[in-house]
Amino acid sequence: MVTLDEVLGSGLLQKPSGHDAPEALQRQITNYKPLQTFKLEKTRPYQQQYADIYFLRLTKIRPAVEAAASAAWEGTVLGGEKVKRVERVLDVRQGELCWVAGTVYMDMPLKPSILEDVSKDRWISAPTSVGHYYSGNGDDSIMLEDDSGRIRLVGNALQNHFMVTGCIVAVMGTENANGEFEVIDLLFAELPPQPERWSLSKGKKEETEDVEMMDASFSGHPSKPPSKKIAIVSGLEFSNADTSYAMELNLLLEYLLGEALDPSTQRDELSHITRLIIAGNSISTTANETTKAAAFDTTTVTNKFQPQQHKKYGYDSSSYNPIPSQLFDNFLSELLPTMPVTLLPGALDPANASYPQQPIHPAMFPQSRTYMSPPKVGVGKDRDVPVEEEPGWFDNVTNPWEGEIDGWRVLGTGGQNLDDVFKYVESEDRLGMMEAMCRWRCVAPTAPDTLWAYPFQEDEPFVIKGCPHLFFVGCQPEFGTKVIHGPDGQTVRLIAVPSFSETREIVLVDTETLDVERVRIVAE
């Protein structure tokens, strides 16, 4: 019989080389406070008109635009004539040098029109098939309008700026003989006032600093606590039909869990990733393309007296596939025990199509919804007074979304707003379009003209009231980042988050410096 000592002496079994047990890694925690800026009531009506959105937007942004125009053009003299301000668009007089503020409207033949859909008896609008709305042949025109009327804008000064429907501008010039307004210069509202860091959670700042110092003392570097990072990913597009990047999705999960790379990298880098933000398009649409085409085929005439065949039980597998949502739920259920997740819906996700998109229903996550915050019951005699909800470990939020992470004001979207603005302009500079939205003070200027939106009556949530420190847009064709500055010292970090299904890339943001790092997940 072979004894244990003989086996140990033979070299087949070796004692651990080190005497200390492996260090248990602890993931750091960031201070997180979401805002309910874009949350809608569950019982919301849709009978109201959409024109009120433009009036609300003009009312909110025009004072800032007029203040900027007055500061820039006050006392300006051109050709011996002093520029003056006119209150309304229809007050512009031919040959008089003046400036006026209003809302831009882009008249484009390729832009979808609801009037055309109604005239052709299309009660459900078909998805647009054009990549751009501009024609490039001179048929497009730019209008400036307010509650009094509209006037056409012309001039070379318009070529130096991004212009889309819904942005508020002030233009200086004169009306020509054709009744058009010759623009000499134009101005936007610029960046709104930026809140200070920790403006929403000042009470938790000291608590967070104490935890950081404690973690730093245990790590052996009491003078410099390690920086924390936020991971942002978009376009995961879980699908059972396309498995070309299934290995990369598994590697991404291992990377976020801290199971990839060597122990030193896990300790120095992966354990510092404190939160994952998923910015849209997590589930791929795998419905039958023939069924999709037939649904929007307006040339097919059906007999209204012929009953349609519906399944009595279950669902129609040709129009619904449960596998993508199950795969995404499995991904989240493995990740959530070790890392908090913020989920924004996107254009492909099972959420309402109109802006702002509301959170995906918890029923889509049978395994992961246990990490969500439980529904709060109101207080009071009739339970009709709402109470503030604490965010869960799995925070299922709106698109767009606004919140505060480690004191920084963060604004993010799933990408539909930028994709729609991209169709208006003849440019590939998506970061420039993001900068323009910040300077317009509107996160979705083309809503509700070409971007479906809820018909707001009392407020316009798409107006940016407080300048964010970080503005990200998901589901973009490629990664990009830049820092912009405002006239009053505002600083905004812009990030175009690439679609993971196309680029295999995620973005890491340092919560102390807002520096950005791109990580590529490749299976070799």
Side-chain angles (χ1 to χ4, degrees):
M1 174 181 284
V2 181
T3 64
L4 179 60
D5 294 336
E6 292 175 349
V7 173
L8 293 174
S10 65
L12 296 178
L13 296 177
Q14 299 291 333
K15 294 182 179 180
S17 57
H19 299 286
D20 299 332
E23 180 184 358
L25 299 179
Q26 297 292 331
R27 192 180 298 276
Q28 299 186 50
I29 300 176
T30 53
N31 184 29
Y32 175 77
K33 184 176 180 59
L35 298 176
Q36 306 297 329
T37 307
F38 303 97
K39 196 69 176 291
L40 299 178
E41 297 291 337
K42 293 186 180 297
T43 57
R44 49 185 181 271
Y46 285 86
Q47 290 81 12
Q48 57 268 35
Q49 296 294 321
Y50 286 89
D52 292 337
I53 297 181
Y54 293 112
F55 296 141
L56 289 170
R57 186 179 304 170
L58 182 61
T59 302
K60 287 178 174 291
I61 303 180
R62 180 161 57 180
V65 174
E66 292 179 343
S70 297
W73 299 330
E74 185 75 25
T76 301
V77 178
L78 294 176
E81 183 179 0
K82 186 177 180 180
V83 64
K84 66 176 183 178
R85 176 196 172 191
V86 296
E87 294 288 341
R88 305 183 308 162
V89 167
L90 292 187
D91 293 337
V92 174
R93 294 294 179 262
Q94 183 177 342
E96 293 184 358
L97 184 63
C98 63
W99 66 267
V100 63
T103 305
V104 172
Y105 175 76
M106 306 293 291
D107 188 8
M108 297 176 163
L110 297 181
K111 196 173 63 173
S113 173
I114 184 62
L115 297 179
E116 181 182 355
D117 294 335
V118 172
S119 64
K120 294 182 179 181
D121 202 19
R122 298 176 182 170
W123 294 105
I124 299 180
S125 298
T128 177
S129 59
V130 295
H132 285 89
Y133 299 145
Y134 68 86
S135 59
N137 55 8
D139 293 339
D140 304 333
S141 59
I142 305 176
M143 304 288 185
L144 185 73
E145 65 178 16
D146 58 12
D147 53 356
S148 66
R150 68 172 53 166
I151 189 172
R152 183 176 181 179
L153 304 180
V154 295
N156 296 329
L158 301 175
Q159 308 301 323
N160 303 325
H161 303 275
F162 291 119
M163 302 287 282
V164 301
T165 295
C167 63
I168 312 299
V169 302
V171 293
M172 180 183 66
T174 182
E175 184 180 356
N176 58 23
N178 298 325
E180 302 167 335
F181 192 85
E182 289 276 356
V183 178
I184 301 175
D185 193 11
L186 62 88
L187 290 174
F188 305 112
E190 277 297 335
L191 301 181
Q194 190 171 53
E196 297 181 358
R197 190 181 179 185
W198 301 104
S199 61
L200 295 180
S201 51
K202 291 182 179 180
K204 294 186 178 181
K205 177 182 178 182
E206 293 77 8
E207 179 182 349
T208 303
E209 292 177 347
D210 294 340
V211 173
E212 289 179 352
M213 294 302 298
M214 184 179 299
D215 293 341
S217 62
F218 281 114
S219 64
H221 303 282
S223 61
K224 184 180 179 180
S227 60
K228 296 176 285 188
K229 297 181 180 180
I230 307 167
I232 308 177
V233 67
S234 67
L236 295 175
E237 296 191 24
F238 280 88
S239 170
N240 71 321
D242 185 6
T243 59
S244 60
Y245 55 96
M247 181 65 71
E248 283 80 359
L249 287 172
N250 291 331
L251 291 176
L252 173 63
L253 179 61
E254 293 181 3
Y255 176 81
L256 295 174
L257 289 173
E259 299 175 354
L261 306 177
D262 56 275
S264 61
T265 305
Q266 296 177 7
R267 180 183 64 253
D268 299 335
E269 296 184 12
L270 302 186
S271 62
H272 300 162
I273 301 177
T274 59
R275 176 172 290 271
L276 173 66
I277 299 178
I278 304 177
N281 288 0
S282 303
I283 299 175
S284 175
T285 55
T286 57
N288 191 309
E289 296 298 331
T290 305
T291 306
K292 288 183 181 180
F296 294 106
D297 186 5
T298 58
T299 61
T300 304
V301 179
T302 58
N303 187 356
K304 64 180 180 180
F305 299 104
Q306 180 180 358
Q308 297 182 357
Q309 299 296 326
H310 295 284
K311 296 187 65 175
K312 186 175 182 180
Y313 301 105
Y315 58 87
D316 188 358
S317 60
S318 64
S319 59
Y320 172 70
N321 189 348
I323 303 300
S325 60
Q326 293 175 5
L327 294 174
F328 182 46
D329 187 30
N330 294 337
F331 176 87
L332 293 175
S333 63
E334 292 189 43
L335 183 62
L336 280 168
T338 66
M339 176 186 294
V341 176
T342 299
L343 174 62
L344 281 72
L348 302 180
D349 294 323
N352 59 300
S354 59
Y355 246 42
Q357 287 184 292
Q358 298 305 287
I360 302 176
H361 198 280
M364 301 298 297
F365 310 104
Q367 301 180 71
S368 307
R369 63 186 177 190
T370 55
Y371 295 91
M372 295 181 179
S373 59
K376 298 293 184 179
V377 179
V379 297
K381 180 179 180 180
D382 298 325
R383 302 290 184 179
D384 56 349
V385 181
V387 296
E388 184 178 359
E389 294 185 8
E390 288 293 331
W393 198 253
F394 178 25
D395 195 14
N396 193 12
V397 299
T398 61
N399 172 30
W401 170 80
E402 187 179 20
E404 186 180 274
I405 301 179
D406 258 12
W408 301 110
R409 185 67 61 88
V410 181
L411 176 64
T413 75
Q416 298 99 309
N417 58 334
L418 182 56
D419 292 339
D420 200 56
V421 169
F422 175 77
K423 297 178 181 181
Y424 279 82
V425 297
E426 192 175 359
S427 173
E428 300 291 333
D429 184 12
R430 291 183 177 250
L431 287 176
M433 301 172 200
M434 293 176 62
E435 178 181 358
M437 283 190 283
C438 292
R439 300 193 186 278
W440 294 335
R441 299 192 183 186
C442 189
V443 70
T446 59
D449 184 29
T450 53
L451 182 65
W452 293 350
Y454 176 75
F456 293 97
Q457 293 289 297
E458 300 178 356
D459 190 19
E460 218 288 53
F462 302 132
V463 174
I464 303 177
K465 303 176 181 64
C467 182
H469 299 98
L470 173 63
F471 178 35
F472 68 87
V473 176
C475 304
Q476 297 307 297
E478 61 182 6
F479 167 79
T481 182
K482 67 183 294 188
V483 177
I484 62 174
H485 303 279
D488 299 325
Q490 305 98 318
T491 301
V492 186
R493 165 69 72 173
L494 307 178
I495 304 177
V497 183
S499 177
F500 184 84
S501 61
E502 300 294 335
T503 64
R504 316 296 193 264
E505 294 175 350
I506 67 172
V507 177
L508 301 181
V509 182
D510 192 297
T511 59
E512 191 60 35
T513 63
L514 295 184
D515 291 338
V516 179
E517 178 183 356
R518 175 175 51 174
V519 178
R520 184 173 175 83
I521 309 294
V522 180
E524 296 181 353

